[in-house]
C-alpha cells in the first residue's frame, strides 16, 4: 500500500507539473497567435492612422475574457489605441518593448510588432491573466487526487485478496518453521496449497526439512555411536588412554584409574612417561616411532608403574588415532593388567618343574593325547616303559597296542574304548597291563588317567600316568601262587574231612544220637563255609592269572537258583528267602560260575541284613535278556562305597559291618565272572533300607 501510494503520488505530481508547464506554454502560444492575428488586422488602421479602427480591432479582444489589457503603439512608440478604452494610460507600458511574451506574476504579457512588407508600422501589447491556467491546474489536481484515491482503494481491495492467497501459505510456512525450531521435530512438513511459486517454495522448504531430518538422524546416530563408544571405553576392563603424538595424556578411563591408581584429573595433561618404568621408556618411544612410520597398531608387553610405584605387567596395544583427512593426530593406548596372569605363568613354570621332578623321582611316566588332532605326547619315562627310545611320532596301533602283552591287548583296547564313552566310564582309566619289549622283556604297568569331554560328550583329551609295577606285581603273583597252592592243598584234606563227617553223621542218625547229629551238622556246615572260601581264593588266583575259562552249558535258571537257595538254607536258616518269576528261563552260561555269583550275592544279603528279614531272588524278562536280582532289607551301602564295592579286597569300613567277617573278594569275583559273560554287576542301595544287586544275561532262544 505504501509503495502504491508513493508511486501514485510521484506520478500524480509529475502529471500536474507536466500539465502546468505544457498548459502555460499553450496559453503563451494562444496569446502569441492572438497577437499575430490582432497585429495583422491592425496594419490597415495604423497605415491609415485610424485610431477608431484600431480601437475597434482591439475591442474584438473582448471575446477572450482572460485578456486583461491591450494597447497598440505607432511606429513612433506613441500609444495609438487601448483596450479597454477607459483603461488609464498609467497601467499600460509607456512604449513598445522587446518582441515576445513573458510571464510576470500571475499575468502573461508581451509585444508583437505590426509589420507590413518589412515595414514596422507599430507594436501591439497584450496582457492576459492566468486564471485559465489555474482553473486547468485545479481541474488536473482534482483528477490526479481522485485517481490516486481510486487507485489506493483498488490497491487496498487487491491487497486484501492477495494477502489471502500469498500471506496465508507464507504464514503456514512460518508456523511450520516455528514448530520445527521450537520442538526440533524435523519430521513436520508444510502443507502445499497450490502449484504456484508459493507451492514451489513449500516444496523447497519441505525438501530442506527432509535433508535436515536426514542429517539430524545421522547426527543422532553418530551421537548414539559415540555415547556407546564412550560407554564401552568407560566400562572396559582395560585401561584406555588417549594421548597426543608427543604422549601427553588427553583421556583416561575408569579402568585406567583402577589399574594405575591415578584419577583422570591427575593424569590428563601429564606425559605418559609418568607411568612408564625407567627401563621401558625407550621401548615405548621406539614403538611410537614405528607406529608413526607404519601407521598400524602394535601390541607388546611392558612394565608400567602404578601410583604406589609398584611395577605392573601390562599388555599394551597402541594404535594411531586419525582425523577425517587420515592424518595421525594422536595415539590410543589399551593397557591390560596381566600381572596376575604373568604371576600364574611363573607359578605354572615352577609347578611344572616340581611336577617334572616329582614324576622323575616317582619314576612316573606321563602321557597326554590330544584326541582332536591326534597328537600323542609321551614323556621319556613313558616311552621307556614301552621300549621306545626315539622321538618318533607315536601311533595307537604300532606303539601302544602292539607293545602290549597279547593276553592283555583285547582287554585294554576295550577298556580304552569304554574310557572314551563318558556314560560308561565317566572318563576314568585305571588298568594294569604288561608291555613286551623288543628283547621280549615283560614289564607290568599300572596306568591311571582321565579322559576329558566337551559338552556333546565327545572326548577331547586323554591324560594320565604310567608306573612300572613289575616288582610288586611279581610279588603279588607269588602271593597268588601261594594262596592258590594253599587253597589247593587245603581242598584235599577238607574233602576228606567232609566225607568222614558225612559217614559219621549217617552213623549217628542210625543211632539216633541227637547231640552227635547236632555237632556233626554244625561241623558239616563249617566245612561247607571253608569250601566256599577256598573256592573263592582259587577263583581269585585264576582270575589274577587270567586263567579263568568258561564251560558253557544250557540250563534252567530256576533249578540253579533252587540249588543255591537250598545250600544257603543248609548254612543259615535265619532269613526268609523267596524266589520270584524265575521259571521257564534257560540260559547258556557256565553253570558252576553263575552259581558262584548267585551264592556270593545271597551269602552277602544274608551277612549284611538282620535275622528274619526277607531276601528275594528274582528274574525279570526283558526281550532277549533276563535280569537277575538279589534284594535284601539290610544295612545298605553308601553312594561313596558303591563306587569301589567291586574292587579287589574292598570292604566297607563302618560301625554296622565291622563285626562281619570277610576278605572283600566276593564281589570282585562276581564282577569278573560276569565280565567274562559280557555282563556287569550293578547295585542300587539306600543306607539303612537294603540293597539290590542285579545283572543281565542272554536268554537261551526258545525259552
Ligand atoms: P566281604 O567278604 O567283605 O563280604 P564282598 O566283596 O562280598 O566282601 O563285599 C564287599 C563289601 O560290600 C562288604 O564288605 C560289604 O560291606 C559290602 N556288601 C556286599 N554286599 C552287601 C549287601 N548285600 N548289603 C550291604 N553291604 C554289602
Amino acid at each position: 500500500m505504501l509503495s502504491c501510494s508513493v508511486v501514485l503520488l510521484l506520478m500524480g505530481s509529475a502529471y500536474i507539473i507536466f500539465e502546468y508547464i505544457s498548459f502555460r506554454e499553450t496559453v503563451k502560444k494562444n496569446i502569441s497567435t492572438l497577437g499575430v492575428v490582432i497585429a495583422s488586422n491592425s496594419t490597415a488602421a495604423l497605415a491609415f492612422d485610424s485610431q477608431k479602427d484600431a480601437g475597434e480591432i482591439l475591442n474584438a479582444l473582448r471575446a477572450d475574457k482572460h485578456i486583461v489589457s491591450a494597447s497598440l503603439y505607432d511606429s513612433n512608440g506613441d500609444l495609438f489605441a487601448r483596450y479597454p478604452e477607459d483603461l488609464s494610460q498609467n497601467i499600460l507600458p509607456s512604449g513598445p518593448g522587446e518582441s515576445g511574451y513573458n510571464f510576470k506574476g500571475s499575468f502573461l504579457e508581451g509585444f508583437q510588432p505590426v509589420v507590413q512588407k518589412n515595414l514596422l508600422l507599430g507594436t501591439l501589447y497584450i496582457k492576459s491573466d492566468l486564471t485559465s491556467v489555474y482553473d486547468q491546474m485545479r481541474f488536473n489536481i482534482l483528477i490526479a487526487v481522485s485517481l490516486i484515491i481510486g487507485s489506493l482503494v483498488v490497491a487496498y481491495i487487491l491487497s486484501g485478496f492477495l494477502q489471502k492467497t500469498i500471506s496465508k501459505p507464507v504464514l503456514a510456512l512460518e508456523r511450520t518453521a516455528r514448530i520445527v525450531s521450537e520442538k526440533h521435530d524435523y519430521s513436520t512438513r508444510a502443507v502445499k496449497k497450490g502449484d504456484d511459486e508459493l507451492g514451489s517454495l513449500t516444496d523447497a522448504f519441505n525438501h530442506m526439512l527432509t535433508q535436515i531430518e536426514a542429517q539430524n538422524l545421522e547426527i543422532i546416530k553418530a551421537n548414539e555411536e559415540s555415547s556407546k563408544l564412550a560407554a564401552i571405553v568407560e566400562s572396559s576392563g582395560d585401561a584406555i588412554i588417549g594421548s597426543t603424538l608427543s604422549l601427553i595424556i588427553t583421556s583416561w578411563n575408569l579402568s585406567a584409574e583402577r589399574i594405575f591408581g591415578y584419577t583422570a584429573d591427575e593424569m590428563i595433561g601429564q606425559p605418559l612417561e609418568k607411568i612408564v618404568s625407567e627401563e621401558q621408556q625407550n621401548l615405548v618411544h621406539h614403538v611410537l616411532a614405528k607406529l608413526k612410520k607404519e601407521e598400524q597398531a602394535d601390541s607388546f608387553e611392558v612394565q608400567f608403574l602404578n601410583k604406589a610405584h609398584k611395577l605392573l605387567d601390562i599388555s599394551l596395544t597402541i594404535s594411531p588415532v586419525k582425523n577425517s583427512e587420515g592424518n595421525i593426530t594422536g595415539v590410543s593406548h589399551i593397557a591390560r593388567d596381566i600381572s596376575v596372569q604373568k604371576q600364574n605363568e611363573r607359578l605354572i613354570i615352577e609347578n611344572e618343574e616340581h611336577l617334572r621332578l616329582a614324576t622323575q623321582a616317582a619314576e612316573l611316566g606321563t602321557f597326554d593325547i590330544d584326541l582332536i588332532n591326534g597328537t600323542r605326547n609321551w614323556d621319556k619315562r613313558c616311552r621307556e616303559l614301552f621300549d621306545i627310545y626315539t622321538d618318533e611320532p607315536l601311533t595307537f596301533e604300532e606303539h601302544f597296542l602292539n607293545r602290549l602283552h597279547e593276553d592283555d591287548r583285547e582287554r585294554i583296547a576295550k577298556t580304552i574304548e569304554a574310557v572314551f564313552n563318558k556314560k560308561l566310564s565317566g572318563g576314568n582309566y585305571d588298568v594294569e597291563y604288561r608291555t613286551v619289549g623288543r628283547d621280549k622283556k615283560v614289564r607290568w604297568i599300572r596306568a591311571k588317567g582321565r579322559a576329558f569331554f566337551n559338552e556333546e560328550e565327545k572326548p577331547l583329551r586323554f591324560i594320565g600316568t604310567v608306573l612300572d609295577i613289575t616288582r610288586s606285581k611279581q610279588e603279588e603273583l607269588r602271593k597268588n601262587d601261594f594262596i592258590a597252592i594253599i587253597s589247593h592243598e587245603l581242598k584235599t584234606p577238607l574233602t576228606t574231612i567232609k566225607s568222614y563227617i558225612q559217614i559219621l553223621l549217617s552213623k549217628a542218625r542210625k543211632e539216633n544220637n541227637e547231640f552227635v547229629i547236632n555237632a556233626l551238622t554244625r561241623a558239616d556246615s563249617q566245612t561247607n563255609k571253608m569250601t566256599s572260601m577256598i573256592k573263592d581264593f582259587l577263583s581269585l588266583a585264576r582270575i589274577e592269572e587270567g586263567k579263568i575259562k568258561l564251560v558253557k552249558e544250557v540250563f534252567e535258571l530256576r533249578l540253579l537258583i533252587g540249588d543255591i537257595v537250598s545250600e544257603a538254607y543248609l548254612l543259615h536258616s535265619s532269613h526268609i528267602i523267596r524266589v520270584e518269576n524265575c521259571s521257564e528261563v534257560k540260559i547258556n552260561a557256565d553253570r558252576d560260575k553263575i552259581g558262584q555269583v548267585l551264592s556270593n550275592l545271597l551269602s552277602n544279603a544274608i551277612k549284611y541284613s538282620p535275622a528274619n528279614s526277607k531276601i528275594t531272588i528274582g528274574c525279570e524278562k526283558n526281550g532277549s535278556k533276563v535280569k537277575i536280582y538279589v534284594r535284601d532289607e539290610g544295612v545298605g551301602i553308601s553312594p561313596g562305597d558303591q563306587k569301589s564295592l567291586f574292587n579287589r579286597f574292598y570292604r566297607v569300613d563302618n560301625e554296622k559291618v565291622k563285626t562281619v567277617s570277610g576278605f572283600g573278594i566276593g564281589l570282585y569275583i562276581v564282577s569278573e565272572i560276569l565280565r567274562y559273560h559280557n555282563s556287569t554287576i550293578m547295585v542300587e542301595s539306600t543306607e539303612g533300607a537294603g540293597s539290590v544287586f542285579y545283572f543281565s544275561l542272554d536268554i537261551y532262544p526258545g525259552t
Side-chain angles (χ1 to χ4, degrees):
M1 283 290 297
L2 187 69
S3 37
C4 271
S5 317
V6 171
V7 168
L8 286 170
L9 218 63
L10 285 174
M11 272 178 62
S13 310
Y15 167 70
I16 289 163
I17 291 166
F18 171 75
E19 277 296 296
Y20 174 70
I21 292 166
S22 69
F23 197 68
R24 263 169 49 133
E25 284 309 308
T26 311
V27 170
K28 199 176 177 181
K29 223 172 176 176
N30 288 346
I31 295 294
S32 130
T33 311
L34 190 65
V36 171
V37 172
I38 299 291
S40 69
N41 287 345
S42 309
T43 48
L46 279 170
F48 296 104
D49 202 17
S50 165
Q51 283 190 322
K52 193 179 161 235
D53 289 351
E56 275 172 17
I57 290 166
L58 286 184
N59 263 344
L61 289 172
R62 205 174 288 132
D64 187 344
K65 64 176 182 328
H66 296 293
I67 303 296
V68 183
S69 59
S71 55
L72 200 60
Y73 300 88
D74 61 16
S75 54
N76 296 325
D78 296 329
L79 185 63
F80 185 68
R82 65 185 115 176
Y83 164 81
E85 281 168 20
D86 52 350
L87 192 70
S88 150
Q89 195 175 344
N90 298 338
I91 293 170
L92 292 167
S94 53
E98 210 176 310
S99 158
Y101 296 88
N102 293 307
F103 291 98
K104 243 186 202 159
S106 53
F107 297 96
L108 173 67
E109 58 180 12
F111 298 91
Q112 174 69 45
V114 182
V115 183
Q116 194 180 36
K117 290 179 188 162
N118 290 334
L119 188 71
L120 183 69
L121 299 179
T123 305
L124 174 70
Y125 165 77
I126 296 178
K127 184 177 182 180
S128 166
D129 67 17
L130 291 175
T131 49
S132 67
V133 175
Y134 297 135
D135 286 349
Q136 185 65 35
M137 280 305 298
R138 261 192 296 277
F139 179 67
N140 283 348
I141 286 171
L142 193 71
I143 288 175
V145 168
S146 311
L147 269 172
I148 287 171
I149 290 172
S151 302
L152 284 177
V153 169
V154 171
Y156 181 75
I157 295 164
L158 260 176
S159 73
F161 170 73
L162 286 176
Q163 194 180 13
K164 271 194 199 115
T165 52
I166 297 173
S167 60
K168 259 197 184 161
V170 172
L171 285 173
L173 274 180
E174 184 263 350
R175 238 188 338 269
T176 312
R178 207 174 42 240
I179 292 172
V180 169
S181 67
E182 279 172 5
K183 297 189 180 164
H184 299 285
D185 178 4
Y186 299 102
S187 61
T188 314
R189 292 289 177 274
V191 182
K192 188 177 171 183
K193 294 259 165 71
D195 284 327
D196 52 4
E197 290 85 343
L198 281 168
S200 307
L201 180 65
T202 311
D203 278 344
F205 183 71
N206 285 342
H207 179 66
M208 184 184 78
L209 281 179
T210 310
Q211 281 183 334
I212 293 175
E213 191 183 11
Q215 275 173 5
N216 200 38
L217 277 178
E218 267 172 33
I219 290 168
I220 290 171
K221 231 193 249 165
N223 281 345
E224 274 174 9
E225 284 298 314
S226 72
S227 49
K228 252 189 234 162
L229 218 63
I232 290 169
V233 168
E234 273 316 303
S235 62
S236 164
D238 294 339
I240 301 178
I241 305 164
S243 83
T244 61
L245 275 176
S246 50
L247 297 185
I248 299 297
I249 294 169
T250 51
S251 68
W252 184 263
N253 75 343
L254 281 177
S255 285
E257 284 194 23
R258 182 178 49 77
I259 294 172
F260 298 107
Y262 292 103
T263 64
D265 287 346
E266 284 171 319
M267 288 310 281
I268 290 175
Q270 296 290 318
L272 186 78
E273 281 91 339
K274 194 169 168 179
I275 53 165
V276 181
S277 74
E278 203 133 310
E279 303 79 52
Q280 312 261 297
Q281 301 273 359
N282 284 343
L283 175 64
V284 173
H285 284 281
H286 168 74
V287 177
L288 185 70
K290 198 170 147 213
L291 175 95
K292 284 183 196 166
K293 211 162 85 192
E294 293 170 11
E295 300 198 356
Q296 59 188 22
D298 204 353
S299 295
F300 53 103
E301 285 180 9
V302 283
Q303 284 192 317
F304 276 6
L305 286 167
N306 69 4
K307 196 174 180 179
H309 291 278
K310 191 184 152 206
L311 272 180
L312 306 174
D313 288 301
I314 296 289
S315 161
L316 185 68
T317 302
I318 67 174
S319 19
V321 176
K322 294 181 179 175
N323 64 10
S324 52
E325 277 98 53
N327 300 324
I328 304 182
T329 53
V331 186
S332 115
H333 312 254
I334 301 177
R336 176 167 296 179
D337 184 0
I338 52 165
S339 304
V340 177
Q341 185 189 323
K342 279 276 165 191
Q343 181 65 23
N344 287 345
E345 273 172 25
R346 285 190 276 271
L347 265 176
I348 287 170
I349 292 169
E350 256 173 48
N351 286 346
E352 272 175 356
E353 184 59 14
H354 285 162
L355 193 70
R356 199 183 59 76
L357 292 173
T359 51
Q360 210 174 27
E363 295 193 325
L364 273 176
T366 60
F367 62 88
D368 181 351
I369 299 162
D370 186 330
L371 297 165
I372 299 299
N373 51 37
T375 48
R376 286 161 195 281
N377 250 327
W378 286 16
D379 76 349
K380 190 165 158 264
R381 178 66 181 153
C382 188
R383 284 170 186 257
E384 265 171 31
L385 297 182
F386 280 80
D387 201 16
I388 300 165
Y389 286 91
T390 58
D391 281 339
E392 63 189 302
L394 304 168
T395 62
F396 180 68
E397 284 284 328
E398 192 190 333
H399 298 99
F400 181 73
L401 275 190
N402 287 349
R403 303 282 166 113
L404 293 182
H405 191 285
E406 59 180 339
D407 290 349
D408 296 336
R409 212 168 278 154
E410 199 186 325
R411 175 176 58 93
I412 297 302
K414 273 190 186 160
T415 310
I416 289 180
E417 208 179 296
V419 169
F420 295 157
N421 185 331
K422 194 175 183 186
K423 283 203 182 77
L424 268 186
S425 61
N428 293 317
Y429 178 62
D430 187 356
V431 285
E432 287 178 4
Y433 51 70
R434 285 159 287 181
T435 58
V436 184
R438 280 167 296 183
D439 54 356
K440 303 288 168 230
K441 186 180 165 193
V442 174
R443 281 191 175 90
W444 271 97
I445 309 289
R446 167 96 190 263
K448 245 173 123 49
R450 180 97 190 268
F452 295 90
F453 301 84
N454 66 7
E455 278 153 17
E456 285 100 49
E457 299 197 350
K458 188 179 171 206
L460 304 174
R461 209 165 159 187
F462 181 32
I463 304 178
T465 56
V466 282
L467 180 67
D468 186 344
I469 53 161
T470 311
R471 197 177 291 163
S472 62
K473 196 69 192 177
Q474 277 164 350
E475 261 168 36
E476 201 181 297
L477 288 176
R478 272 200 293 276
K479 234 184 316 178
N480 278 344
D481 281 352
F482 176 71
I483 291 170
I485 292 164
I486 295 276
S487 308
H488 195 75
E489 291 304 312
L490 283 174
K491 220 172 117 186
T492 327
L494 203 62
T495 320
T496 318
I497 291 170
K498 191 169 166 61
S499 37
Y500 278 115
I501 288 173
Q502 296 288 331
I503 296 166
L504 286 173
L505 198 59
S506 61
K507 207 169 163 243
R509 280 195 185 113
K510 271 183 204 153
E511 289 164 5
N512 228 351
N513 187 337
E514 271 303 310
F515 173 76
V516 178
I517 293 172
N518 208 358
L520 286 174
T521 310
R522 279 170 187 269
D524 189 42
S525 148
Q526 291 305 315
T527 48
N528 282 344
K529 241 186 193 173
M530 273 181 81
T531 312
S532 131
M533 250 146 69
I534 287 168
K535 199 175 173 185
D536 276 356
F537 278 124
L538 279 173
S539 300
L540 177 73
R542 278 199 208 102
I543 289 167
E544 292 300 292
E545 284 171 39
K547 279 186 188 159
I548 205 164
K549 291 268 169 329
L550 296 186
V551 185
K552 285 193 177 181
E553 59 182 299
V554 178
F555 61 91
E556 222 174 296
L557 202 50
R558 179 179 56 92
L559 297 179
L560 174 67
I561 292 171
D563 288 353
I564 300 297
V565 172
S566 314
E567 251 173 50
Y569 268 131
L570 278 179
L571 284 176
H572 328 264
S573 51
S574 51
H575 290 73
I576 307 149
I577 305 171
R578 265 190 52 189
V579 180
E580 52 187 27
N581 300 332
C582 289
S583 50
E584 290 173 24
V585 184
K586 278 187 187 166
I587 54 170
N588 182 15
D590 187 322
R591 190 179 196 279
D592 199 31
K593 293 200 173 58
I594 296 295
Q596 204 178 343
V597 166
L598 289 171
S599 127
N600 256 312
L601 295 178
L602 190 57
S603 73
N604 275 349
I606 292 166
K607 272 198 313 190
Y608 299 107
S609 60
N612 295 324
S613 64
K614 208 165 70 184
I615 293 166
T616 314
I617 302 186
C619 302
E620 224 175 80
K621 280 200 219 173
N622 192 357
S624 63
K625 299 248 175 210
V626 58
K627 175 178 159 185
I628 303 154
Y629 56 87
V630 179
R631 183 186 302 125
D632 65 55
E633 295 166 348
V635 291
I637 308 151
S638 73
D641 286 320
Q642 284 177 30
K643 282 186 203 144
S644 317
L645 223 48
F646 306 106
N647 292 347
R648 203 169 40 146
F649 301 124
Y650 187 84
R651 302 209 67 221
V652 173
D653 183 16
N654 67 28
E655 282 301 309
K656 284 184 210 153
V657 296
K658 72 173 182 193
T659 52
V660 185
S661 65
F663 296 103
I665 57 170
L667 288 180
Y668 172 66
I669 292 167
V670 165
S671 74
E672 284 299 297
I673 291 175
L674 288 175
R675 191 169 64 76
Y676 275 87
H677 280 89
N678 292 325
S679 180
T680 317
I681 179 75
M682 312 280 258
V683 62
E684 279 169 20
S685 181
T686 312
E687 267 184 295
S691 317
V692 192
F693 285 83
Y694 59 92
F695 57 93
S696 291
L697 290 172
D698 288 332
I699 298 176
Y700 185 67
T703 51

